[in-house]
Amino acid sequence: MRITCILLLVFLTSSKLIAQTYQIKGKVVDRKNNTIPFANILLLQASDSTFVQGTSADDSGQFLLSEVKPNIYLLQASYVGRGSEPRALDIKNDVSLGALIIPLDENVLDEVVVTSQRPKLQRLSDRLVFSVENTVVSQGSSWDILKSTPGVIVNQSELQIRGQSATVYLNDRKVQLSGQEVRDLLEGLSGTNIKSVEVIANPPAQYDADGGPILNIVTSKNIIPGYKGSVNGSYTQAIFPKFTLGTSHYYKTEKLNLFANYNISPKKEIRKAVKGINFMDANENVFSNWDTYYDQTARSKAQNASLIIDYDFDDSNSLNLTTNLAINPDWERATNLNTQIRNGQSQLDSTLITRNLENVDNTNLAVDLSYVHKLKKPGAKLSFNGHYTYFDGTSNQNLFSSYADGGGSLLRNFGFDTDSDQDIQIITGQADYATPIGDASIETGVKLSSIASKNSIDFLNFIGSDNNVNATLSDRFNYDENVYAGYFSFVRNWEKWSMKLGLRGELTKATGTSLTLNEVNTVDFFEPFPSVYLLYSPSEKHSFAFDYGRNVDRPKYNDLNPFRVFFNENDFEEGNPGLRPSFSNNFNFNYTFNSELFFDFYYRDNGENIAYFVFQDNIDQTLVEVKQNVLESKSYGIDLTLSKSIASFWFLYAYTSLFHEEETFLAAESNNQVYTNSVDGAYALLANYLTLSKDGTFTGEVTMTYLSKFLFGSYVSDDQLNLTLGLRKSLFKDRITISLAAEDILEKYVPTYRSRYLNQDNFYRRRPETQFIRFGLTYNFGNFKLTDNQREIDKKERERLQTDQ
């Protein structure tokens, strides 16, 4: 009995010792003993340097690692590409370290103010990381940061990388907005919470093959419990005044993160444009010239609400629920079109005056649920995701035209109404598995997505008649698509090399049915999408990288609808249900010197790319805008980036891109002749970021961008120039932030797009409100230094939702 009790006591004692865990705390400083906030802390196995756990230092450089099991470890701190010497620790009890020292460059941390750090560029195997945390660049908005990111071109408020539209992510969650809505969102998101921006020109296998380059905004992390909130607003004076108003609230406990956000942005905007068409006869002589002047006023009351809940059941299991509701009720657009029609001798022949009224209601609801389970093996995890999107859009149009002769006498009237509806539902499910294998790691997963789109349009209430518009244009169109995908990727790092290999396969089955026309278009294919990334760093100052990837571009849902949307009866957009997915092959070679000078060489075979075309019918004298697959397309170029601190208060960022783009297509209104449209162009950006006060609370920005000729389907644009100025001031220890910005100061940011080839000769020049002055104010309350869990829903299927607002 005594022996039994002794054995039981020994067993219980040893079990307690085995279950005992400890904590490690310390501080991160540089060589001059300046604290380094938000440094990364890594705990590694001493035997093979595999990852055990990690955390981040707080804003005072302090860190804490808890629940550390007894063992021998290596502890290391890192910050913007620099690391401390690994420290060996034999954990048998709680450990309190003096400090971990990171040997930063002297100009990385400033003795007066932390915001004078310079941004840092780091080349990884599959992406470029632009670290901006606690730098002068971060003192602007998230939109300002993206405009300053290497490789990013801003063209007509669109973010592009190497001529392709970029998709914006927040913490690996896609921003589910488009165009001006993305810009409005990012201009309201403070850059002070941004840690870095990842430029993924060639997305790896774990991302959907559908889509182009990615800009992923990574926010800072903080583990302090508490509550914070903010209210923000902006006033913009352009031709019409505009304002935005929003509020955000964030609450965190040990297990729960809760984020709620709401904003509203009523707008009244005026957009002026001019279109010109030279209609030609068979000998390409101009027999009629049409000049149309657009005077458009749009009113909107867009509202957006988000709710995000993160719950950690324990250290191994977590759940996330993300919901977003975007509504745009009673969006109105009134367009007056005044067309002057002249004969071949430039004499006024007749006039066409059109009043086009549109009213749109859109509702976009998204729900995303994710579950992550960390396995016993350090770094290994299973994750599951389910997603649902419901989009409903209704629109009504009233169009009325009056024709008059050259003397102003009325010839005839014509008018009609349209009612249209679009109902889209998206359901996706995904499972992923990741695990380290020695000094390497693998990721694999499967995904299923199902899309159902139902669309209708009715033409009714005709006044008079016209050859181009009648009731037979009414239609019902259904589109159903299922995509089954799986991927595998392998990552390994050793000495001076880094490698990432990936393979993704996607099986696509889709059917588009026009019920009225009794036409069916089907798509059925399986395609592999390989990717390769190699990085070689022979020294700290030099690195070389190569990557290759294959992608697919699927049509937007609206572009597939075989409907006509009229500006007037001679000028309209038309959907194309025959659009096919296009496949591209992307090759990139990069060289980096001292993390300041970057050279990028790229070549992209775009295949049968989906492009925007405008064709004039010289017989019926009409102009139609349509999406069409080209026969072949390619682009190549060289990018040069320089980022350097000129002085402690002045950071300079310069980016230049020289590129060639070309597309070969069938000229639909030129006897289907094969024609190649090409352009050699240049883009340049020069940004100056200034710290105007010793405490870093007053900053400024002077930025100039230039874009020469640019290819846009059948159009080629002329050059455009944009000069912007900005000032930002933080008050009361960042409780209040005010900003002032002036855009398009020289009024040269509106290009002309011209299409001139074979028997086609037309142009357009739009003039939106690009020139404005904007005043912004943000008030933070609660423990406002907390970093929230704000994110967006990452679904490529939602990206193909498209609206005109």
Side-chain angles (χ1 to χ4, degrees):
M1 183 67 179
R2 180 178 299 176
I3 295 176
T4 303
C5 291
I6 292 174
L7 291 175
L8 181 60
L9 180 61
V10 171
F11 173 77
L12 292 176
T13 304
S14 62
S15 298
K16 182 177 181 181
L17 289 174
I18 292 173
Q20 180 69 52
T21 60
Y22 302 99
Q23 64 180 20
I24 305 171
K25 62 181 179 180
K27 186 177 183 180
V28 186
V29 298
D30 64 6
R31 286 170 174 166
K32 295 184 178 181
N33 205 36
N34 295 314
T35 61
I36 301 179
F38 310 116
N40 293 322
I41 312 299
L42 300 177
L43 187 66
L44 311 173
Q45 290 281 4
S47 58
D48 57 6
S49 297
T50 57
F51 176 82
V52 178
Q53 64 167 292
T55 187
S56 297
D58 60 20
D59 54 4
S60 63
Q62 303 284 343
F63 68 88
L64 174 66
L65 288 168
S66 59
E67 298 185 3
V68 179
K69 297 179 180 179
N71 207 334
I72 299 177
Y73 300 99
L74 294 177
L75 184 69
Q76 186 179 31
S78 66
Y79 185 76
V80 291
R82 300 285 184 171
S84 67
E85 288 293 331
R87 180 176 297 190
L89 298 175
D90 186 2
I91 302 300
K92 297 179 180 178
N93 46 41
D94 292 342
V95 175
S96 180
L97 301 172
L100 296 176
I101 300 174
I102 299 179
L104 293 177
D105 296 335
E106 292 184 0
N107 63 341
V108 174
L109 290 178
D110 189 272
E111 293 179 337
V112 178
V113 55
V114 72
T115 53
S116 65
Q117 293 180 39
R118 68 179 180 90
K120 186 75 172 180
L121 289 170
Q122 182 182 10
R123 176 76 66 185
L124 301 181
S125 60
D126 63 346
R127 66 196 66 193
L128 183 71
V129 181
F130 186 40
S131 299
V132 298
E133 188 174 34
N134 297 321
T135 69
V136 65
V137 177
S138 69
Q139 300 306 300
S141 68
S142 296
W143 177 261
D144 298 326
I145 293 175
L146 290 187
K147 289 196 303 180
S148 304
T149 299
V152 177
I153 291 177
V154 181
N155 181 32
Q156 293 292 300
S157 295
E158 182 181 65
L159 298 167
Q160 296 184 338
I161 298 175
R162 295 169 184 166
Q164 291 183 302
S165 298
T167 303
V168 178
Y169 283 67
L170 276 174
N171 293 324
D172 287 320
R173 296 284 180 176
K174 182 179 176 294
V175 176
Q176 296 299 333
L177 301 170
S178 60
Q180 186 62 41
E181 292 175 321
V182 170
R183 179 168 182 170
D184 291 342
L185 171 69
L186 296 177
E187 285 180 338
L189 180 61
S190 173
T192 57
N193 289 329
I194 305 303
K195 180 179 181 181
S196 62
V197 177
E198 298 175 345
V199 182
I200 312 175
N202 209 357
Q206 61 263 41
Y207 293 94
D208 288 349
D210 179 15
I214 290 172
L215 288 170
N216 182 36
I217 300 174
V218 181
T219 60
S220 305
K221 302 297 181 182
N222 203 304
I223 59 173
I224 303 172
Y227 164 78
K228 73 170 183 177
S230 68
V231 292
N232 62 82
S234 68
Y235 175 84
T236 301
Q237 182 59 59
I239 297 176
F240 294 121
K242 306 166 184 61
F243 75 89
T244 63
L245 186 64
T247 180
S248 299
H249 302 271
Y250 174 66
Y251 177 70
K252 180 179 178 64
T253 67
E254 183 179 352
K255 293 182 176 294
L256 176 69
N257 289 350
L258 179 65
F259 175 82
N261 170 267
Y262 171 78
N263 62 73
I264 183 172
S265 53
K267 291 182 180 180
K268 180 182 179 182
E269 298 178 292
I270 189 169
R271 304 171 187 173
K272 294 182 179 294
V274 58
K275 280 187 180 181
I277 313 170
N278 287 321
F279 290 107
M280 303 179 185
D281 58 25
N283 297 319
E284 296 189 11
N285 296 316
V286 176
F287 68 88
S288 183
N289 168 261
W290 293 43
D291 286 324
T292 304
Y293 300 90
Y294 292 68
D295 191 346
Q296 184 181 100
T297 301
R299 294 176 173 84
S300 63
K301 294 177 288 186
Q303 301 174 62
N304 191 292
S306 299
L307 176 65
I308 302 168
I309 301 174
D310 287 309
Y311 188 78
D312 297 328
F313 297 97
D314 50 41
D315 291 340
S316 300
N317 299 277
S318 61
L319 190 70
N320 166 261
L321 174 66
T322 300
T323 63
N324 179 264
L325 175 64
I327 60 174
N328 197 355
D330 297 325
W331 180 80
E332 298 177 354
R333 181 167 62 184
T335 308
N336 293 315
L337 297 85
N338 189 331
T339 303
Q340 297 179 353
I341 303 172
R342 290 179 168 82
N343 59 26
Q345 291 73 44
S346 298
Q347 299 171 329
L348 184 64
D349 180 75
S350 57
T351 61
L352 168 61
I353 297 176
T354 302
R355 173 74 168 173
N356 191 336
L357 300 177
E358 298 170 84
N359 186 279
V360 178
D361 285 291
N362 284 338
T363 300
N364 190 333
L365 172 66
V367 180
D368 201 272
L369 184 65
S370 297
Y371 170 74
V372 177
H373 174 65
K374 296 180 181 178
L375 303 175
K376 292 182 179 181
K377 185 177 182 180
K381 66 177 181 179
L382 274 170
S383 57
F384 303 91
N385 174 266
H387 173 85
Y388 174 74
T389 284
Y390 172 74
F391 175 85
D392 179 69
T394 60
S395 65
N396 308 103
Q397 179 188 28
N398 173 260
L399 187 148
F400 184 82
S401 295
S402 297
Y403 291 82
D405 61 21
S409 300
L410 180 65
L411 296 176
R412 67 183 181 93
N413 293 325
F414 174 73
F416 62 91
D417 295 336
T418 63
D419 291 332
S420 63
D421 182 75
Q422 185 172 41
D423 184 300
I424 299 175
Q425 297 189 59
I426 301 171
I427 300 175
T428 71
Q430 185 168 346
D432 300 275
Y433 171 71
T435 183
I437 302 177
D439 58 356
S441 64
I442 62 171
E443 295 178 347
T444 186
V446 294
K447 180 180 179 181
L448 165 66
S449 62
S450 177
I451 297 97
S453 175
K454 297 181 178 181
N455 313 270
S456 66
I457 188 169
D458 290 304
F459 287 79
L460 61 161
N461 300 330
F462 285 89
I463 299 174
S465 63
D466 187 271
N467 293 332
N468 300 315
V469 192
N470 55 63
T472 62
L473 294 175
S474 301
D475 199 359
R476 304 289 184 271
F477 181 75
N478 293 338
Y479 179 77
D480 297 288
E481 177 184 281
N482 291 297
V483 179
Y484 310 87
Y487 76 91
F488 177 86
S489 66
F490 174 80
V491 181
R492 186 167 186 259
N493 302 295
W494 68 98
E495 295 181 356
K496 300 176 181 181
W497 289 87
S498 177
M499 177 182 70
K500 187 171 187 176
L501 305 176
L503 179 63
R504 185 181 186 90
E506 292 192 356
L507 173 64
T508 301
K509 294 180 177 291
T511 303
T513 305
S514 172
L515 301 181
T516 302
L517 301 178
N518 196 28
E519 293 180 357
V520 179
N521 291 276
T522 61
V523 174
D524 189 347
F525 66 85
F526 174 82
E527 290 287 339
F529 300 96
S531 58
V532 178
Y533 305 88
L534 294 172
L535 175 65
Y536 174 61
S537 303
S539 66
E540 289 187 0
K541 288 190 175 182
H542 303 276
S543 71
F544 302 85
F546 169 80
D547 62 81
Y548 161 76
R550 186 171 188 260
N551 303 100
V552 60
D553 180 25
R554 292 186 173 90
K556 300 289 191 296
Y557 306 124
N558 268 0
D559 294 336
L560 291 166
N561 297 342
F563 303 160
R564 287 187 178 183
V565 178
F566 287 86
F567 302 103
N568 62 32
E569 48 267 46
N570 293 83
D571 185 356
F572 54 90
E573 298 177 349
E574 187 171 56
N576 182 2
L579 286 175
R580 305 178 307 276
S582 65
F583 303 93
S584 63
N585 292 279
N586 308 295
F587 302 85
N588 306 297
F589 176 78
N590 314 293
Y591 167 69
T592 302
F593 174 73
N594 202 31
S595 294
E596 290 183 344
L597 192 59
F598 296 79
F599 294 90
D600 294 273
F601 306 86
Y602 69 91
Y603 175 85
R604 188 172 65 247
D605 177 4
N606 300 304
E608 297 180 350
N609 182 50
I610 300 173
Y612 171 86
F613 292 96
V614 175
F615 296 118
Q616 64 186 62
D617 185 329
N618 289 304
I619 297 177
D620 292 337
Q621 298 184 56
T622 59
L623 195 71
V624 57
E625 303 176 19
V626 66
K627 294 288 182 68
Q628 178 178 299
N629 287 95
V630 302
L631 299 178
E632 59 181 2
S633 172
K634 65 181 179 181
S635 58
Y636 52 84
I638 178 173
D639 299 344
L640 174 64
T641 304
L642 174 66
S643 61
K644 190 173 184 62
S645 292
I646 306 301
S648 60
F649 64 91
W650 179 12
F651 173 73
L652 175 68
Y653 168 68
Y655 170 66
T656 301
S657 178
L658 303 176
F659 56 84
H660 172 86
E661 294 185 327
E662 66 178 61
E663 291 182 333
T664 302
F665 60 93
L666 288 177
E669 293 295 340
S670 308
N671 296 320
N672 282 326
Q673 295 184 58
V674 176
Y675 182 80
T676 298
N677 202 14
S678 65
V679 67
D680 294 302
Y683 177 87
L685 181 147
L686 183 65
N688 300 271
Y689 299 97
L690 307 172
T691 302
L692 303 176
S693 64
K694 288 186 176 181
D695 62 358
T697 61
F698 187 33
T699 59
E701 174 189 346
V702 182
T703 301
M704 179 171 285
T705 58
Y706 169 77
L707 179 61
S708 70
K709 293 181 179 179
F710 201 79
L711 190 64
F712 188 52
S714 54
Y715 282 119
V716 175
S717 74
D718 59 9
D719 58 356
Q720 50 190 297
L721 183 69
N722 187 18
L723 175 63
T724 65
L725 300 176
L727 295 171
R728 188 177 186 273
K729 176 65 177 176
S730 297
L731 304 170
F732 308 112
K733 296 182 178 180
D734 289 335
R735 287 284 177 183
I736 295 178
T737 301
I738 57 176
S739 62
L740 183 66
E743 186 92 9
D744 192 18
I745 295 173
L746 302 178
E747 202 172 358
K748 293 183 178 295
Y749 199 40
V750 182
T752 297
Y753 294 84
R754 178 170 290 277
S755 181
R756 179 67 184 97
Y757 65 93
L758 302 177
N759 64 347
Q760 303 287 294
D761 187 5
N762 58 82
F763 77 91
Y764 77 91
R765 179 182 176 88
R766 291 194 177 114
R767 179 62 184 169
E769 296 182 62
T770 58
Q771 190 176 51
F772 59 81
I773 295 176
R774 174 174 293 155
F775 173 78
L777 174 65
T778 299
Y779 172 66
N780 299 297
F781 50 88
N783 187 3
F784 67 94
K785 290 187 177 181
L786 285 169
T787 299
D788 58 45
N789 60 336
Q790 182 176 358
R791 67 194 61 165
E792 295 295 331
I793 296 174
D794 168 18
K795 289 291 169 291
K796 282 289 181 183
E797 293 81 10
R798 285 175 53 83
E799 184 182 3
R800 291 158 64 196
L801 292 172
Q802 180 176 283
T803 59
D804 296 327
Q805 286 90 310

